[in-house]
Amino acid sequence: LDFVVLEAGAGTGRFTLPMIHNGFRPIATDVNESLLDALRGRLKAEGVEAACKVQNESIFQLSFPDAHFDFVYCLHVIPRLLCLEDQRLAIAELSRVLKPGGKLLFNYWNQSSLLGRLKRKYVTPAAAMEGLVQASRLKVVERRGKRLLSKTALQRLPLWGGRLLAALERPLTGVHPNGAWD
């Protein structure tokens, strides 16, 4: 049997290509056709276009039947949704297309974290996110996250500083996940 995988919000393939190189054959979706064109170009350049179906889809209204996918991943999309209701609608739609017992992997920016308290835009309280997950008939199996680093902060550091913080960050990823940023 095939393991059916959906990437919602694939963009230009930052996570699509590693999935393909690890033996998966995802269906990569995004609402932005120009990003999907770039993804198609990357797939062709690497000679793996047959390993991935690429299609334009809205995370709020996917064209797939209920309970279709074994695994759904959606990285760096939920944090871009501007309100809790949009996050709820997206998670509910991803849950709809997920098979019973399937896995959903996504990230969000946690308002309950230290960085979340400083940032006012695009952040969600951990308790609210857990409520959204439960309302979508899902259960949290594992929570992990970054505590010290944000992508913006990391990019502004000298390489040695980023490596040092990353080394400090690694042991914290599974500790008290409600305190994690992303």
Side-chain angles (χ1 to χ4, degrees), residues 8-112:
T12 61
R14 176 177 174 202
F15 301 106
T16 313
L17 290 166
M19 288 293 284
I20 292 168
H21 294 310
N22 280 290
F24 296 96
R25 298 175 64 86
I27 296 174
T29 66
D30 203 291
V31 71
N32 186 321
E33 191 61 47
S34 64
L35 293 177
L36 292 175
D37 286 341
L39 171 56
R40 288 179 188 102
R42 289 182 74 189
L43 294 170
K44 186 173 183 174
E46 292 202 23
V48 294
E49 64 267 29
C52 181
K53 184 175 182 182
V54 178
Q55 59 191 70
N56 188 295
E57 295 275 346
S58 166
I59 196 169
F60 300 111
Q61 193 172 8
L62 297 166
S63 66
F64 307 105
D66 295 353
H68 185 72
F69 294 97
D70 298 288
F71 179 62
V72 175
Y73 65 104
C74 177
L75 299 172
H76 304 302
V77 176
I78 301 298
R80 296 174 192 268
L81 301 177
L82 302 179
C83 66
L84 191 61
E85 178 61 11
D86 283 350
Q87 292 178 354
R88 183 191 71 74
L89 291 170
I91 290 169
E93 183 65 357
L94 295 173
S95 172
R96 181 189 67 78
V97 300
L98 189 64
K99 288 180 181 177
K103 304 281 187 213
L104 168 63
L105 172 67
F106 71 95
N107 69 314
Y108 74 100
W109 290 345
N110 181 6
Q111 186 181 42
S112 307

Side-chain angles (χ1 to χ4, degrees), residues 6 20 50 76 93 103 117 119 123 127 131 146 161-162 170-171:
L6 171 67
I20 292 168
H76 304 302
E93 183 65 357
K103 304 281 187 213
R117 290 182 194 138
K119 186 177 176 108
V123 293
K146 299 180 286 202
R170 255 181 242 106

